[in-house]
Amino acid sequence: MDRTDSPTTAPSVEDLASVFQVYQVRRDGDRLLYVGRPRVQPDAVERRLWDRFRESGYEISLEREYDTDTPMPTHGWVLVARPHSVGIDGIPWTNILLALLTIGSTLLVGAVQWYHVDLGANPLGIFRAWPFVAAVLGVLAVHELGHYVASRYHGVDASLPYFIPFPTLIGTMGAVIRMKGRIPDRKALFDIGASGPLAGLVATVVVSAIGLQLDPVVTQEAIAAGSDAPVVRFHNPLLLELIAAATGTLETLRSGTIHPVVFGGWVGMFITFLNLLPVGQLDGGHIVRALYGERQETIAAAVPAALFGLAGYLYFLQDVTNAVGIWVMWGLLATGLAYAGPATPIRDSPLDSKRTLLGVFTFVLGILCFTPVPFELVT
């Protein structure tokens, strides 16, 4: 065995001997490379050694080939140990810049589409849309921070949210966090997957309830009553109707003349439903993988068919065309996500009954956020 660069703080070769026979130990930057062969089934190596390496501050992955400039065999197995850290390294300038750009794009869309400000005559009128921005971006931020907090709790390295500026109907394409660490077990996978939708729905309910109490403003739907120009009409999911009924504002909601803050709640519900699709590495895919293990792939395979079927039902039986493109697009996206597969935890032991019930409850909430025709063009 060539011990040209033996680890100091990482587990020694002797610590691995019962699970992984080491021929060489080398470094590639801050990574340690244990070259050798498994003495147990390959899928059991990471599971058996995970805790030992994590105690020493490393995450591991077993790879059949490893691409590196370090001279080493091109065959055999490599156990790669990477330093484990969940902290934020320096000031996250990219996150800050994207957040500022997204605030700008959401202000622009809010002022023009929802507050109907003539920015040519009154450029500073763009700031009238700040409640709309706070509602939309607040819901998105709480959703993603739910994932981030759960990731930190379980010691999984994750980035802060990246907002995506884009002048869509809501002024953004949403927000994401980047998972940079491995998922240790199903419990962590479930908590990370469910925390975003549940936290986001709490913010959604609060935003919706507040918005329904605010004085209505002229919205797109109200303008459509006196104009031949096409505008977008948003249909209300059941959860929004329930919130309005509970706050005594159901008639206001159905009138079409509402405060733009209510739309922030609508956005939260729509995003929650899409994220809870049980496919790939969407939140729903994480939850179902944690609940049902490898059977998640069977469930995920049915999702594209269901979305294409919904599109066909609306087009051929309901003569609805506006929403067909949405579900066809998501059917194609779900196909790709299902092909890519779900996140795989290191340890694959079943969940406890409490998390199982919470998972079912989360999907029930997701169904309440669904509407077959989210929005349509009307004149």
Side-chain angles (χ1 to χ4, degrees), residues 5 20 159 162 169 182 212 217 227 236 249 255 303 333:
D5 198 358
F20 191 80
S159 71
Y162 292 93
L169 289 172
R182 303 288 302 279
L212 288 166
V217 299
S227 172
N236 301 321
T249 55
S255 72
V303 174
L333 181 59

Side-chain angles (χ1 to χ4, degrees), residues 173-197:
M173 291 289 287
V176 297
I177 65 170
R178 185 163 63 93
M179 302 292 296
K180 297 180 285 187
R182 303 288 302 279
I183 309 294
D185 51 35
R186 282 200 202 178
K187 182 172 71 172
L189 181 61
F190 177 87
D191 290 353
I192 293 170
S195 59

Side-chain angles (χ1 to χ4, degrees), residues 82-99:
R82 302 171 176 83
H84 172 66
S85 173
V86 295
I88 300 173
D89 186 16
I91 299 175
W93 290 114
T94 301
N95 303 76
I96 294 172
L97 176 61
L98 288 174

Side-chain angles (χ1 to χ4, degrees), residues 30-51:
D30 59 356
R31 301 179 181 184
L32 288 170
L33 311 176
Y34 298 80
V35 184
R37 67 176 181 85
R39 291 188 170 181
V40 296
Q41 291 295 321
D43 59 358
V45 172
E46 293 179 353
R47 185 170 63 250
R48 296 271 296 271
L49 296 176
W50 181 262
D51 288 338

